[in-house]
Amino acid sequence: MPKITYIDHAGKERTIEVPVGLTVMEGAVKNNVPGIDADCGGACACATCHVYVDERFMDKVGKAEGMETSMLDFAEDVAPNSRLSCQIRVTPELDGLVVRTPKSQH
Amino acid sequence: MKRPRLIIVGAGQAAAQLIASLRADGFEGPVTLVGEEAYPPYQRPPLSKAFLKGEIGLDRVILKADSFYEEAGVELRLGRRAVAIDRDRRMLRLDSGERLGFDRLVLATGSRVRRLSCPGHDLSNIFYLRGIDDVEAIRPHLVAGARLAVIGAGYIGLEVAAVARGLGLEVTVLEAAPRVMMRVTAPQMSSFFEAVHREAGVRIACGTMVEAIEGAGRAEAVRLADGRRVEADVIIVGIGIVPAGVALAEAAGLACDNGIAVDALTRTSDPRILAIGDCTSHPSLLYGHRVRLESVQNAIGQAKTAAAHLLGRDQPYDEVPWFWSDQYALKLQIAGLNAGYDRVVLRGDPATRAFAAFYLSGGVLIAVDAVNRPPDYMLGRKAIGERARPDPERLADPDIPLKDILS
Ligand SMILES: Cc1cc2nc3c(=O)[nH]c(=O)nc-3n(C[C@H](O)[C@H](O)[C@H](O)COP(=O)(O)OP(=O)(O)OC[C@H]3O[C@@H](n4cnc5c(N)ncnc54)[C@H](O)[C@@H]3O)c2cc1C
Ligand code: FES
């Protein structure tokens, strides 16, 4: 199972094995990793699952598109490596992925 | 001081959030979660969307990993129904006869579906949609070519119609009100969605009551008050919901008013007992009257409020309500409650399938419905909370950035 490391605002790291097919958001929420609220449960309707993707993985993860881009605009402190984690599907290639969560999701 | 024993009744969206927030913020007492369904808390929105379609499985509908409850030290009592609350003795009785003692109790019992009562309502092949088991029962009937009659053109009825069309069924939607989604949206929005569904091949009949379901043993047709008869292989009913747990609360002497009545801290009339989510009505600070909401946002928001209260950090619940609905490739996002609006301003052209309706009451923005326009929804939601008074003429001009109008 791909391992994903979530690093919160204070620098605390948690590494979780996330089954292929789930999203990066679901890996966090199901295992109570703080820092991702995901109020809409992955419907791309809330923008409370904002993460910063580690630069080394940007190519594999890809950029936000369509609806995600317009929702992402309303997250706080958006950077070029920002994504909504409910729109990132976990694949075997994402093993080792590191994402950082922002200070606040609102 | 002894650590308070907490029992949560109802293992749904609100309960899952309550547990997550309590443990994240340092609640240490023992927690027992009593849920009538066989499943640990799961999310319902996909039940009429991706899960119904078969695009996602149970693993993505269930909210938390099993290990989550173990690690959180939560005792799960699934498949068990709470039947009585003894407030004097602080005991909860389950349908098994078992009694559980509590110091604090949280009712998170959700809603149950409103059922048909017309002749023929008890025939087979008539389904409702509230839980995973309902979807499992419906699924074998969702085969290409089958004739589906959907009774009720609210969000759920229309989402089901969209999914069923996608799966190749022949779909007829029957609605008693003169237009679809009448309870929640403006006429312009209703006509837009009616047109979208018709274009997709759905037949829609509004303004006509269901008089009876006909058939021998299994449902074969819906008879309408205007004499029409709609033949169907399967019928799915979405005619609204009623708060659950009200009888349980009333029998215990808790005040109820269109749901279990709570205050802005989610306390019932007995401050040791809280209630959260669909089953409650609460005083809306924004709208100035009591409301009962049926949404994920409200379940999560009240759960967070209840967690803070149980931890002694009171924070009155005061969020702008929000909701969404996915039909075909359209995302409808709703912020606020439009009841009592006196003016609707459309922004953008419905023909482009990306537009929004802004609802004003006495000049104040009270609600927004946005179709494929996330910025209108997000900025609108914020402006509703700020009780903004946008200029309607400028609002209607999509060339003026919304940021400039709403600030
Ligand atoms: C098909 C469908 C689609 C939806 N789509 C959306 C959407 O797109 N967006 C949105 O915001 N909302 C949507 N909703 C609404 C949303 O799912 C609810 O508002 C939300 O689930 C409410 O959470 P809750 O915890 O209050 O109740 P629930 O999640 O309903 O949980 C309550 C639980 O309590 C249990 N229970 C009741 N009484 C007892 C008892 N006496 N003892 C033990 N257990 C009991 C019930 O069986 C249930 O499992 C949808 C709902 C449905 C059914
Ligand atoms: S969970 Fe709501 S947008 Fe990602």
Side-chain angles (χ1 to χ4, degrees):
Chain A
M1 249 185 248
K3 286 196 176 70
I4 298 184
T5 300
Y6 302 82
I7 307 180
D8 73 11
H9 179 68
K12 187 160 183 212
E13 287 188 24
R14 275 165 238 241
T15 300
I16 308 273
E17 291 196 352
V18 185
V20 168
L22 257 58
T23 64
V24 170
M25 174 280 280
E26 286 163 340
V29 169
K30 280 183 184 289
N31 295 291
N32 217 22
V33 175
I36 294 180
D37 288 358
D39 287 349
C40 76
C44 201
C46 72
T48 64
C49 61
H50 175 204
V51 298
Y52 303 105
V53 174
D54 189 280
E55 298 292 350
R56 288 169 300 156
F57 282 86
M58 271 313 278
D59 287 350
K60 283 185 186 147
V61 171
K63 284 217 178 293
E65 284 172 16
M67 185 69 79
E68 182 188 344
T69 322
S70 23
M71 286 305 289
L72 197 50
D73 278 345
F74 296 93
E76 246 161 70
D77 300 324
V78 177
N81 61 336
S82 286
R83 287 288 311 262
L84 292 180
S85 55
C86 71
Q87 303 300 309
I88 309 175
R89 279 289 194 110
V90 175
T91 58
E93 292 74 57
L94 293 191
D95 187 26
L97 174 67
V98 177
V99 297
R100 288 180 174 74
T101 52
K103 190 166 167 191
S104 152
Q105 290 287 1
H106 288 282
Chain B
M1 202 183 89
K2 208 171 125 262
R3 297 180 311 167
R5 294 165 303 169
L6 171 68
I7 298 181
I8 307 168
V9 179
Q13 183 91 46
Q17 182 65 49
L18 177 64
I19 293 167
S21 296
L22 280 174
R23 290 307 192 212
D25 294 334
F27 183 87
E28 289 181 342
V31 177
T32 304
L33 176 60
V34 179
E36 175 180 24
E37 292 182 85
Y39 308 94
Y42 61 90
Q43 45 168 346
R44 294 177 200 277
L47 302 188
S48 50
K49 307 178 183 78
F51 184 62
L52 184 65
K53 235 185 269 177
E55 270 176 13
I56 65 169
L58 260 193
D59 57 330
R60 301 191 56 196
V61 174
I62 305 273
L63 282 162
K64 304 284 182 189
D66 289 344
S67 59
F68 166 83
Y69 299 99
E70 226 174 272
E71 279 160 25
V74 174
E75 190 186 336
L76 291 182
R77 293 297 184 90
L78 300 179
R80 282 279 164 262
R81 190 180 157 72
V83 292
I85 303 165
D86 182 340
R87 287 205 282 143
D88 296 335
R89 295 234 222 45
R90 290 196 226 160
M91 292 287 235
L92 180 74
R93 188 152 56 83
L94 307 187
D95 55 358
S96 57
E98 205 179 350
R99 280 160 211 275
L100 308 175
F102 64 83
D103 299 302
R104 305 301 299 261
L105 180 67
V106 180
L107 302 174
T109 43
S111 301
R112 39 192 183 77
V113 294
R114 199 186 294 273
R115 305 184 84 88
L116 291 175
S117 56
C118 63
H121 67 89
D122 49 359
L123 294 172
S124 70
N125 279 359
I126 303 178
F127 299 97
Y128 295 83
L129 184 43
R130 181 72 197 169
I132 289 173
D133 290 342
D134 296 322
V135 177
E136 303 294 4
I138 288 169
R139 225 186 241 128
H141 298 270
L142 294 186
V143 288
R147 295 163 306 174
L148 166 69
V150 176
I151 301 181
Y155 294 123
I156 290 184
L158 293 181
E159 288 179 353
V160 167
V163 168
R165 240 352 252 155
L167 295 172
L169 283 83
E170 277 181 41
V171 183
T172 307
V173 176
L174 306 169
E175 168 59 55
R179 56 186 173 87
V180 305
M181 298 195 288
M182 170 135 156
R183 194 169 61 96
V184 288
T185 199
Q188 295 93 323
M189 228 5 116
S190 295
S191 2
F192 170 77
F193 275 95
E194 280 178 30
V196 166
H197 280 275
R198 289 215 166 94
E199 214 168 285
V202 173
R203 277 184 293 264
I204 300 181
C206 288
T208 174
M209 291 287 287
V210 168
E211 203 164 67
I213 312 289
E214 299 179 343
R218 70 195 285 252
E220 285 159 17
V222 183
R223 198 173 75 234
L224 301 173
D226 61 12
R228 269 184 293 175
R229 198 169 171 277
V230 176
E231 294 195 352
D233 303 307
V234 54
I235 296 173
I236 301 178
V237 185
I239 53 172
I241 53 180
V242 289
V246 171
L248 181 69
E250 263 175 349
L254 299 175
C256 292
D257 175 3
N258 182 28
I260 304 168
V262 298
D263 65 10
L265 299 175
T266 73
R267 290 177 300 199
T268 66
S269 52
D270 178 341
R272 272 195 319 251
I273 303 178
L274 311 181
I276 55 178
D278 274 20
C279 65
T280 68
S281 72
H282 71 274
S284 163
L285 302 179
L286 181 60
Y287 295 105
H289 56 89
R290 190 164 274 281
V291 297
R292 178 171 61 82
L293 302 175
E294 306 163 352
S295 70
V296 166
Q297 168 271 322
N298 182 60
I300 291 180
Q302 285 192 316
K304 288 180 177 170
T305 305
H309 175 64
L310 290 169
L311 288 159
R313 303 170 200 152
D314 288 357
Q315 222 179 12
Y317 176 57
D318 184 19
E319 288 178 15
V320 176
W322 58 267
F323 194 83
W324 73 95
S325 174
D326 298 333
Q327 297 170 35
Y328 310 102
L330 300 175
K331 184 172 288 294
L332 169 62
Q333 294 174 288
I334 300 115
L337 304 174
N338 71 10
Y341 70 88
D342 51 31
R343 181 159 186 179
V344 186
V345 178
L346 284 196
R347 192 173 159 82
D349 180 2
T352 63
R353 296 198 165 199
F355 71 107
F358 289 79
Y359 299 84
L360 306 175
S361 170
V364 178
L365 182 66
I366 56 168
V368 179
D369 297 340
V371 175
N372 288 3
R373 274 179 87 100
D376 292 30
Y377 159 73
M378 291 298 273
L379 290 171
R381 188 170 105 191
K382 191 156 160 276
I384 294 165
E386 292 160 352
R387 295 157 172 78
R389 298 176 148 272
D391 175 348
E393 313 300 327
R394 300 183 72 210
L395 206 50
D397 182 349
D399 293 332
I400 309 177
L402 202 51
K403 274 202 199 89
D404 301 345
I405 304 169
L406 292 177
S407 59

